[in-house]
Structures are given as structure tokens and as C-alpha cells.
Amino acid sequence: MSTDDTAKEAIEVLQHLGLKEYEAKCFVGLSRVSSGTAKQLSEITDVPRTRIYDAIRVLEAQGLVEIQHSSPQQFRAVPVEEATETLRDQYEDRVERLQRALSRTEPVESNEEDRVQEVWSMSGTDAIANRANQLISNATEEVVLVLGDDSLLTDELVDSLNEVDPETELLIGAATESLESRVHRAVPNATTFVSGLEWLRNEGNVSENLAIGRLLLVDRSSILVSTIVPDTHEEQAIFGGGFRNGLVAISRRLLAQGLLPQHDPRPE
Amino acid sequence: MSTDDTAKEAIEVLQHLGLKEYEAKCFVGLSRVSSGTAKQLSEITDVPRTRIYDAIRVLEAQGLVEIQHSSPQQFRAVPVEEATETLRDQYEDRVERLQRALSRTEPVESNEEDRVQEVWSMSGTDAIANRANQLISNATEEVVLVLGDDSLLTDELVDSLNEVDPETELLIGAATESLESRVHRAVPNATTFVSGLEWLRNEGNVSENLAIGRLLLVDRSSILVSTIVPDTHEEQAIFGGGFRNGLVAISRRLLAQGLLPQHDPRPE
DNA sequence: GAACGTTGTGACTATGAGAGTGACAACAAT
DNA sequence: ATTGTTGTCACTCTCATAGTCACAACGTTC
């Protein structure tokens, strides 16, 4: 039963990685029997026997399955580590080709109007984290960062923080004391504090169903605020660039109010 | 024109990475204009204007595009490095989940009949390379390896070779002198030679259209032979395990004949 | 070697996702 | 007020893929 669930998960992941349903089922099925014939596989996987052959051929071409050309044919899945390694290789290959293709295609007339009153939105923890790290890396004067959740303190983030110019002021807040001490240890250069976000939590102006994720202000000119939807655990962010940006201005004032009284004595 | 081609390539790669046609086109289009509206994008990408919105939403959810919620909306692609980094993260995530799911699901009754007269086939350079490295890593007595093409001498292969037990005998042949010297430098522990494969090339028993790729014999009990189809550049391999395996026996004899007269004086 | 189940191939239908199009109300700009 | 733009829906068309069937080749059994 639990095995069934993990199997189902494995199948889904494989489909996300580009395999078709039959192919995914076949691979997962094969991963549990060391070797088998089309008929056996069909019974395990609920894939019509006559379509096993197609699926296996594709898998073989991808380097995920081996075929013994006997009669009847025997199929065997490549060991897990080998399979994932192969998938990884394929993927790296593609991303690299993408990178090259894109970088060679980029130059096109652009309407650089340099608007500064912009507010952009983005989604997805990975993308947001990358953007945050990027912003931090480009900081020259000041970084103000508030983390609302332990999981956001990733190694990459720590690296970015430790790589900024020593002249740059680092102000890092955390939602809990334990998180603050972790930050303090990881980024010795930073001034850390436990604050708050109470001022955000308590204001009823945002939908109740949002948890503050991170808050980042770089050089007082770029701001990134993310929220985490508790149910789906999805992260959403808005991101403002430019000095005279309204959002940035507001955020500066919010931070000034929220951060300076660093020890709000109200115990929650 | 050439920009058009690379753009097309980028689109294809993105589709392989899981994006739909419209999404891929939108992203590539956006990668060349710094920012744009739905109408502009539609003109660049040939995607129907009314469908731009769907595509962008998906891209946004994946962290590849930012949206400025003004009127009209402005769209902007995340910088290339950020995008690829995000894609990489997503992928790593999936592969890891796959690995966990698979390893937790593997235990199922298995018919370990331990046949030794097996010959398996596999395809794909990545998969074959991984299998080869795996085999080498498990070697305890002897590794005989012949490389038919420069491109097969990868860093991973070198690592595997240098990590075998020093007691293990390493015999590595190469198709050309330059390749041999590269091998010699990379794997000092190995006895290298320039041979031959003439004995394979000249025999008309295999379809003319095959170039020998690699040939690997480990501990005289496992053999891997790969061929490269010159046109498609696809690599195919057969792999035999087990001591008494017929293929292994044949290969041993072939190698004994082919390798010992190391310097076939015939100059090609 | 006759009879039966198994195996592999190819061709077929059905379904659903996604490509492509159009109608239309909300909006902005003279 | 008029006109073009913008965003949303609802729709059709096409094709990949899930799912089924007929059948010939093969192997196994008695």
C-alpha cells in the first residue's frame, strides 16, 4: 500500500521528467523485479502487454532499460543510481545547449525605457530564491533581509551573504530566536535581530491566508517581498526595482517603523 | 537568420525540458526584448495574442517570467543564468524525489535466477558511459579497455580508472596515437597501447555502417562493446555478464588475438 | 507432429491536451 | 463619443497517446 503510493509518486515524477505514462510505469515496474518478460511486466504495471514493447524500446533508447534479445525477451531496469545519473547527464546537456542558444540569440532591438516605477511579480521558491541571491550579490551598500521561515536559509543564500563586499552593511532579521542564532553563526558579518513581522501579521490588510516568507531590501533601491500560501506551500513574490519606485519607498518606511523598535516587548 | 536558427533550437530544448510550444516561444521571445506587452510578444513569436496570457501565467508559475500588473501588463524574462539555475533546481528536486521513491519501492519478490548466459543491450552514450564507469569501479583484477573515439575519454571515465585498486591491472588501448598519449597522461597507472580494432574494422561480418566505440572487459567476466552509428551519432552497446557467458568467452579470444600483436606493422 | 498457450507485430479506435480562431466586454486614449 | 487596445472565454481542429484487437511466429507439451 505504501509501496503502491511511492510507486505512484515515482511514476508521476518520471512523467514530469518527460516519460509517457506507459514508459514510466514500465520503468518503475522493472525497478522492482530485477528482470522480467513482457507478460510479467504487464501484470505488475497494468500496461497492456502489447504496448510494453513500444515503451521498453523508448526506455532502452534513453538508457534506462536493458534488453536481452532472447525468446522471450527479458527486460531489466538499469540500477537506480545509474538511471538518475543518466537522467542528470541528459538534463545538463539540455540546459547547457539552452544556455548557449539563448545567449547567442539575445541581441535584438530592445526598448530600454528604463522605467523605474515597476513592480514585478514572480512565483516559485526556486526562482525567488535565485532572484534574491542575485540581488544580494549585486549589493554595494546595504542589505536588509528578514526571513519568516527556517527553510529559507539555504546554503546558497548563506554563500551570497558571505560574498558581499565587507563594506556593505548586513542587517538580517529572523522570525524566531533559533533561526536568528543559526543566521548569526552562518553569517558572522551580519547584524542579526529577532523581529517581527508582527506588524505585517497583525495588519488585516492582506488576506489572512498568507504567511510572510522573506523580505529583502538591497541598497534601498530594490525590494523583494514574498509570501507563502500555507495550504499549497507555494511561494509568491513581488519585486520592485528602481530608486524612486513607490513600492520601495513604502517598504523603506515600513522597515524603518518595523525594525528600529527592535525588541517589541509584546510577547505575541 | 542564424539568430532564427538558434532561437528555434532554444525553443526545441525548452520543449524537451517540459514546456509547451507557446510557452517555449514566449520565453525565447521575451529573452530578446528585455520586456514587452502581449501584443509585441505575439508579433515576435507568432503565438496568437490571446493565448500569450495563458503561456505567460504558466511561465510565471515556473519562475521563468515576471509580470508587471499594470495596464497593459508588461512581461519580462528572468535573466538566462537565473532561468537555467531555476530549471536545474527543479530538476534536481525531481531526480531526488525519484531516487527516494524508487529506493523505497524496490523490494518486491524477485526471481533471482542468476542466469549467466545473458547478453543485454542498451543505447545512449550517457547510459553506456555510466555503465562502463560502474563496471570499472567494481573491477578487482583486470580492466581491458579500448577506445575507438576521442570523445569517449571523459573526466568521469578517467576518475573511475584512477580509482580502481592499484593491484588491478589496467590495459588501455586507443585508436590513435594522440588519444593514446592523452590516456597515458591521464591514467599513469595504466599500460597503454595503440591498437587496433583493425581486426574489427576489416572483418566484414558487421554492417559496414558501424564504427567501434568502446570495448571493455572487466575481470574477464563482464564485457561491454559499443558501436557508434556514424550518421545519427547514436551509441549502442551490448553488455554481457557472468563468467561462463558465451559473449565473454568470444571476446576474450578476440582480445587475445587482437591485442598481443600490439604493433601491427601494416600502416593502414 | 498436433494442439495449445505464449510472444511479438501492426493496425485500429477513442480520448484528451494543446494548437489555433473568434466573440466580446472592459479599458485607455484621443 | 469614438476608436483602438487589452484581457477573458468559449470554441474548433488536430494529433499524440492511452487502450483494444487480430494474427502470425514461436515454443512447449503430450
Side-chain angles (χ1 to χ4, degrees):
Chain A
M1 188 113 307
S2 105
T3 302
D4 227 37
D5 282 348
T6 50
K8 210 172 284 177
E9 165 159 19
I11 292 172
E12 278 173 22
V13 176
L14 279 170
Q15 285 186 272
H16 279 165
L17 291 174
L19 297 192
K20 304 305 168 196
E21 184 184 331
Y22 286 171
E23 294 156 20
K25 284 183 175 175
C26 280
F27 182 77
V28 174
L30 269 186
S31 295
R32 338 169 40 176
V33 284
S34 77
S35 96
T37 67
K39 193 186 183 196
Q40 297 174 302
L41 244 193
S42 167
E43 282 156 3
I44 301 176
T45 58
D46 283 326
V47 174
R49 185 187 60 83
T50 59
R51 310 298 318 277
I52 297 274
Y53 302 98
D54 308 72
I56 292 288
R57 257 190 287 275
V58 175
L59 288 172
E60 203 256 10
Q62 303 226 18
L64 297 176
V65 156
E66 302 162 22
I67 301 179
Q68 184 183 10
H69 294 284
S70 50
S71 176
Q73 294 181 327
Q74 291 272 119
F75 308 126
R76 175 198 278 179
V78 154
V80 202
E81 309 78 33
E82 236 175 281
T84 52
E85 189 55 35
T86 301
L87 288 172
R88 239 183 280 268
D89 290 350
Q90 282 178 15
Y91 197 76
E92 269 310 314
D93 221 67
R94 287 177 184 164
V95 171
E96 267 168 39
R97 257 197 299 161
L98 174 68
Q99 201 147 17
R100 264 186 296 113
L102 275 185
S103 61
R104 222 178 312 132
T105 203
E106 210 150 347
V108 168
E109 58 74 63
S110 67
N111 46 348
E112 287 282 0
E113 296 180 21
D114 250 308
R115 308 199 192 179
V116 285
Q117 291 287 353
E118 293 176 335
V119 179
W120 299 85
S121 74
M122 48 192 318
S123 318
T125 297
D126 289 339
I128 296 171
N130 285 331
R131 168 58 54 93
N133 295 339
Q134 186 92 359
L135 286 173
I136 292 171
S137 301
N138 292 334
T140 62
E141 301 178 14
E142 180 194 63
V143 173
V144 182
L145 174 63
V146 182
L147 295 176
D149 191 284
D150 288 45
S151 65
L152 299 177
L153 185 66
T154 63
D155 294 345
E156 289 80 14
L157 177 58
V158 170
D159 290 347
S160 300
L161 287 169
N162 282 322
E163 279 167 9
V164 299
D165 183 271
E167 299 287 292
T168 306
E169 198 172 355
L170 285 180
L171 245 183
I172 308 183
T176 65
E177 284 196 27
S178 74
L179 180 55
E180 182 204 6
S181 62
R182 277 184 58 209
V183 171
H184 194 64
R185 261 178 283 125
V187 191
N189 261 350
T191 311
T192 64
F193 59 94
V194 180
S195 154
L197 307 168
E198 293 87 4
W199 37 276
L200 263 184
R201 281 223 190 89
N202 293 343
E203 308 288 355
N205 55 354
V206 196
S207 159
E208 300 283 2
N209 230 11
L210 291 177
I212 188 74
R214 49 188 129 205
L215 196 156
L216 174 64
L217 181 64
V218 175
D219 292 347
R220 299 176 187 262
S221 70
S222 297
I223 177 102
L224 186 153
V225 184
S226 84
T227 54
I228 298 180
V229 184
D231 308 328
T232 68
H233 226 264
E234 252 307 284
E235 189 170 3
Q236 297 228 342
I238 56 177
F239 159 69
F243 226 142
R244 309 193 42 210
N245 188 303
L247 178 65
V248 174
I250 294 177
S251 304
R252 272 212 299 268
R253 290 182 50 187
L254 274 177
L255 286 179
Q257 291 181 354
L259 295 183
L260 294 185
Q262 286 179 16
H263 299 98
D264 190 337
R266 244 157 79 252
E268 164 67 271
Chain B
M1 188 117 303
S2 106
T3 303
D4 227 37
D5 281 349
T6 50
K8 210 172 285 177
E9 165 158 18
I11 292 172
E12 278 173 22
V13 175
L14 279 170
Q15 285 185 271
H16 279 167
L17 290 173
L19 297 192
K20 304 305 167 194
E21 184 184 331
Y22 285 172
E23 295 156 19
K25 284 183 175 174
C26 280
F27 181 77
V28 174
L30 269 185
S31 295
R32 337 171 39 177
V33 284
S34 78
S35 96
T37 68
K39 194 185 182 197
Q40 297 175 300
L41 243 194
S42 166
E43 283 157 2
I44 302 176
T45 58
D46 283 326
V47 174
R49 185 187 60 83
T50 59
R51 312 291 328 271
I52 296 274
Y53 302 98
D54 308 73
I56 292 288
R57 258 191 286 276
V58 175
L59 288 172
E60 204 257 9
Q62 302 226 18
L64 297 177
V65 157
E66 302 162 21
I67 301 179
Q68 185 182 10
H69 293 286
S70 50
S71 177
Q73 295 180 328
Q74 292 272 117
F75 308 125
R76 174 198 280 179
V78 154
V80 202
E81 308 78 31
E82 234 175 283
T84 51
E85 189 55 34
T86 300
L87 288 171
R88 239 183 277 269
D89 290 350
Q90 282 178 14
Y91 198 77
E92 268 310 313
D93 221 66
R94 288 177 184 163
V95 172
E96 267 167 39
R97 258 197 298 160
L98 175 67
Q99 201 148 17
R100 263 186 296 112
L102 275 185
S103 62
R104 223 179 313 132
T105 203
E106 209 150 350
V108 167
E109 56 76 62
S110 67
N111 45 347
E112 289 280 2
E113 296 179 22
D114 249 309
R115 307 199 193 179
V116 285
Q117 291 287 354
E118 292 176 336
V119 179
W120 299 83
S121 75
M122 47 193 318
S123 318
T125 296
D126 288 340
I128 295 171
N130 285 331
R131 168 58 54 94
N133 295 339
Q134 185 92 0
L135 286 173
I136 292 171
S137 302
N138 291 334
T140 61
E141 301 178 13
E142 181 194 62
V143 172
V144 182
L145 173 64
V146 182
L147 295 176
D149 191 284
D150 288 45
S151 65
L152 299 176
L153 186 66
T154 64
D155 293 344
E156 289 80 14
L157 177 58
V158 170
D159 290 346
S160 300
L161 287 168
N162 282 323
E163 278 167 10
V164 299
D165 184 89
E167 298 288 291
T168 307
E169 197 173 355
L170 286 179
L171 243 185
I172 307 183
T176 65
E177 283 197 27
S178 75
L179 180 55
E180 183 203 8
S181 62
R182 277 184 60 208
V183 172
H184 194 63
R185 262 178 281 125
V187 191
N189 261 351
T191 311
T192 64
F193 59 94
V194 181
S195 152
L197 307 165
E198 293 87 5
W199 39 276
L200 263 182
R201 281 224 191 88
N202 293 343
E203 309 288 353
N205 54 355
V206 194
S207 158
E208 301 285 0
N209 230 11
L210 291 177
I212 189 75
R214 47 189 131 205
L215 195 156
L216 174 64
L217 181 64
V218 174
D219 291 348
R220 298 175 187 264
S221 69
S222 298
I223 177 99
L224 186 153
V225 184
S226 84
T227 53
I228 298 180
V229 184
D231 308 329
T232 67
H233 226 263
E234 254 305 286
E235 190 171 4
Q236 298 229 340
I238 56 176
F239 159 69
F243 227 141
R244 309 194 42 210
N245 188 304
L247 179 65
V248 175
I250 293 176
S251 304
R252 272 211 299 271
R253 290 182 50 187
L254 273 178
L255 286 179
Q257 291 182 352
L259 296 183
L260 294 186
Q262 286 180 16
H263 299 97
D264 190 338
R266 245 159 77 252
E268 164 68 77

